[in-house]
Amino acid sequence: MEEVDVEPSTTLIPGAGFYQKHLGFEWGPGDLIVYETNYKLQGPRSAGSPSVHIVRRDEDICSPILRKLFSESHLIFVGLQKIKEDVPSKNKKSQFVSISKNYRSVIRACMEELQQNAVSTQSGSLASQYGDQVSILLAIELIWNLCEVLFIDAAPAGSLLLQLLDWVRLHKSDVDAKAREVLQSDSPAQHQSYWDVVISLVLQGRTDEARQVLSKQASLRAESSSVFKRMDGLLQTMPIFNPTGTQTLTEFEVKWRHWHEECDRCLQDNTFASNRHLETICKILVGDEDTLLEQKELLSTWYHFLVTRLLFTHPTIKPPDLHYYAQSSMNMFLGPRASPEPLDIILLSAFEFDLHQVIKDCSIALNNWWFVAHLTDLLDHCKLLQSHNLHFGSNLREFLVLEYASGLFTHHSLWQLAVDYFDHCPEFGRVYLELQIERVPLDTERKAIKVLRICEDRQMSEQVRSICKIMAKRALRNNRLGSALSWTIRAKDAAFATLISERFLQDYSNKGSFTDLDLLDNLGPAMLLSDSLTFLGKYREFHRLYGEKRFSEAARLLLSLMTAKIAPRSLWMTLLTDALPLLEQKEVIFSVDQTYELMSCLEELNSGTKHSNLTDQDEDIESTKTELLRLALARNLTMAIVKEGTIET
């Protein structure tokens, strides 16, 4: 896209420059942050206090009603991406038109809800905010509908004007309300808005409805009934092209020309001279531009003037000729002094079939990326933007979708929608997702699991490890060892698994029992992550076997933990103490060889370095344990020798 060719608006930042420093800024997806730097500023000193200022915030993303727009349009977007490339283009066109209408229906639903809220709210500022949002959505729907007619449906000559008439009627709905008011009054023909309604209906090409309203006046004026009948005849016989009929465009043009000439003859013959309102209508029917411009209040916009002008002068307009009529209609309607609004410029670009200019101007004029992202995506699927790539590598469609999705990531719940948008950006979508997903605050474990599942589904291993480490450390700080171990296993972090295993064992030493038994009993292959975790899992298994009175299996496991050097040396005394109840059983549990191995472990432990920080009382306890173990081992050895000798005999 080209650089913005207009001067940006000035935003005053209170308090900036107190220390005469240069200002720095940082664009975020939803706002702009301005701050003071350490660089000196030359110039007059300004009063105030230094601070960080949020210059612009995307308020739409905070609106509950507009969040519905984002959520529902997300479903339409995802559905659009599923349309297969191999579907015939004729079938695709109807699908694309249907999707476009779905988008517009979501916009209209949000508009209606905003209008209801604006009426019901007691807050003036809130009502004003709702009103502003309705105005923006009205403009968005107006532009989208026109793009649907000109680009997506690509209506040909004949059908084009019919669709433009529908476009005008949809966005000039006050005529219907005024018509109801007139017809429901006691005397419709005497109502002050009567003729405004008749002329408004004619201006929109609604001739049957205009005849119905006009009949109220004719029934009151018997003396001029012939004049009203003549007008009724002209309105009734006005040719309207039927795209589904058998009549060709050429035949329609001939028929329309004859009708137009008949209207012109009535005007030349002063048929309606006795009634200025009927004469005005006749001038409209012949497409008299001066008369049309006199109806500015009823037309209200230059594009309504354009469509009415085409209806009565060139009903078979071809798409390539639209731009000439659009430009001249805007100039005639606005006049030389009035300058066009941004909406006028956007609509004019659409009539000129300059799609990229429409998207550029909308990007500048609108306050978020929702509209341009979704419209561009749809147009791209229609193969209307294939020739436009950006200089930094991405195409226009992907650039806008990425910007919109990045903005969604600033919201506490809408970030989940953004993931699907990134998924459908083949070039940079994954990179953006990896960067943005790391910024999602992991407020709760439930949210962390959501983020983790997103990363796991997309094989984002680095982000998976990062999330699991964060959650594991948080759980460990809160002394939730089971949760910490669970997150560590998912992160496959051996070092942290060792730390948590040691905390589990320390907790066991203090309390005499394990916590989180379900997790420890079902570690499975995960216990191989680190030696400490392996020991923790096996040690817990020893306790389980002992509790189930499977003493022989428990004894073998306990011995293997020591002889295989899996158990930390600092815990050998604890393990040997755990062997005491097994040594004192009436039935011999440890064999002669196993008893010798236990004796060897005990002697190796005692011959090692003594702990200098032990108190006298602790040393006495350790000494007592050692003596008890030696006595128990000696007694078990005796019993084992007798037992094995008896068996051999």
Side-chain angles (χ1 to χ4, degrees), residues 511-530:
K511 297 178 181 177
S513 62
F514 283 111
T515 57
D516 301 288
L517 298 182
D518 286 345
L519 175 63
L520 295 179
D521 287 343
N522 295 283
L523 284 174
M527 72 170 67
L528 301 174
L529 187 59
S530 76

Side-chain angles (χ1 to χ4, degrees), residues 644-649:
E644 290 180 17
T646 304
I647 293 171
E648 287 176 8
T649 304

Side-chain angles (χ1 to χ4, degrees), residues 5-63:
D5 50 9
V6 293
E7 284 296 318
S9 59
T10 302
T11 302
L12 295 175
I13 304 172
F18 181 75
Y19 291 109
Q20 294 186 308
K21 302 289 181 67
H22 277 290
L23 289 178
F25 70 92
E26 185 68 34
W27 276 110
D31 45 37
L32 170 68
I33 293 178
V34 176
Y35 53 88
E36 291 190 351
T37 70
N38 287 326
Y39 297 100
K40 286 288 183 182
L41 177 69
Q42 293 181 353
R45 186 183 177 90
S46 60
S49 58
S51 55
V52 173
H53 299 271
I54 298 176
V55 175
R56 184 184 68 87
R57 180 179 290 281
D58 187 355
E59 293 179 354
D60 289 349
I61 210 167
C62 302
S63 166

Side-chain angles (χ1 to χ4, degrees), residues 11 112 284 400 422 442 463 614 635 648:
T11 302
E112 288 171 10
I284 291 171
L400 294 172
F422 285 139
L442 306 175
Q463 283 70 27
L614 289 177
R635 187 167 56 245
E648 287 176 8

Side-chain angles (χ1 to χ4, degrees), residues 155-206:
S159 299
L160 176 59
L161 184 65
L162 295 177
Q163 294 200 25
L164 289 175
L165 277 169
D166 289 337
W167 173 63
V168 163
R169 290 167 187 167
L170 184 63
H171 297 93
K172 189 76 170 82
S173 55
D174 60 330
V175 177
D176 296 301
K178 200 176 286 185
R180 278 195 299 272
E181 181 189 333
V182 168
L183 293 173
Q184 289 171 5
S185 65
D186 295 334
S187 179
Q190 304 300 324
H191 197 283
Q192 60 180 3
S193 300
Y194 174 81
W195 285 108
D196 284 349
V197 168
V198 175
I199 293 172
S200 294
L201 291 170
V202 172
L203 290 170
Q204 290 190 4
R206 297 159 67 175

Side-chain angles (χ1 to χ4, degrees), residues 139 143 146-147 302 341-352 354 357-366 371:
I143 299 164
L146 182 60
C147 290
W302 67 267
E341 297 288 331
L343 177 61
D344 299 324
I345 301 297
I346 292 167
L347 294 175
L348 183 62
S349 298
F351 282 121
E352 291 172 347
D354 191 346
Q357 192 62 39
V358 170
I359 294 166
K360 174 190 170 183
D361 290 341
C362 287
S363 300
I364 295 168
L366 298 174
F371 172 69

Side-chain angles (χ1 to χ4, degrees), residues 182-397:
V182 168
L183 293 173
Q184 289 171 5
S185 65
D186 295 334
S187 179
Q190 304 300 324
H191 197 283
Q192 60 180 3
S193 300
Y194 174 81
W195 285 108
D196 284 349
V197 168
V198 175
I199 293 172
S200 294
L201 291 170
V202 172
L203 290 170
Q204 290 190 4
R206 297 159 67 175
T207 52
D208 289 339
E209 293 168 73
R211 288 173 59 215
Q212 182 186 349
V213 179
L214 205 56
S215 65
K216 304 290 182 183
Q217 186 75 225
S219 62
L220 291 177
R221 300 193 176 186
E223 74 283 355
S224 56
S225 61
S226 61
V227 181
F228 280 92
K229 282 181 182 178
R230 185 71 180 120
M231 176 55 70
D232 185 72
L234 290 177
L235 292 172
Q236 186 179 13
T237 56
M238 178 180 173
I240 301 294
F241 182 70
N242 182 8
T244 58
T246 56
Q247 189 181 47
T248 64
L249 200 61
T250 306
E251 289 171 343
F252 168 76
E253 283 180 323
V254 171
K255 189 176 179 181
W256 183 86
R257 202 174 295 115
H258 286 316
W259 171 84
H260 196 262
E261 288 169 358
E262 186 180 350
C263 293
D264 197 40
R265 274 196 302 274
C266 288
L267 203 60
Q268 299 302 326
D269 297 344
N270 294 319
T271 304
F272 304 108
S274 60
N275 190 310
R276 62 184 179 86
H277 297 296
L278 294 180
E279 190 172 35
T280 298
I281 293 172
C282 191
K283 286 180 180 179
I284 291 171
L285 295 180
V286 298
D288 183 71
E289 290 177 352
D290 291 334
T291 304
L292 287 173
L293 287 171
E294 287 171 5
Q295 312 305 318
K296 272 190 179 184
E297 284 190 19
L298 298 179
L299 291 166
S300 73
T301 60
W302 67 267
Y303 44 89
H304 188 180
F305 169 65
L306 161 68
V307 176
T308 302
R309 180 185 172 198
L310 291 173
L311 174 64
F312 296 115
T313 60
H314 197 351
T316 55
I317 181 81
K318 295 177 182 176
D321 300 331
L322 260 180
H323 71 94
Y324 164 74
Y325 285 95
Q327 182 70 68
S328 62
S329 295
M330 189 175 80
N331 293 341
M332 290 165 65
F333 192 86
L334 297 180
R337 294 183 180 179
S339 57
E341 297 288 331
L343 177 61
D344 299 324
I345 301 297
I346 292 167
L347 294 175
L348 183 62
S349 298
F351 282 121
E352 291 172 347
F353 287 84
D354 191 346
L355 251 182
H356 298 109
Q357 192 62 39
V358 170
I359 294 166
K360 174 190 170 183
D361 290 341
C362 287
S363 300
I364 295 168
L366 298 174
N367 58 346
N368 66 59
W369 297 102
W370 180 88
F371 172 69
V372 286
H374 289 88
L375 180 62
T376 305
D377 173 62
L378 181 55
L379 294 172
D380 186 70
H381 276 83
C382 296
K383 308 293 183 189
L384 295 168
L385 295 171
Q386 297 305 299
S387 61
H388 199 78
N389 289 321
L390 303 179
H391 67 277
F392 50 81
S394 178
N395 60 37
L396 180 61
R397 177 250 176 209

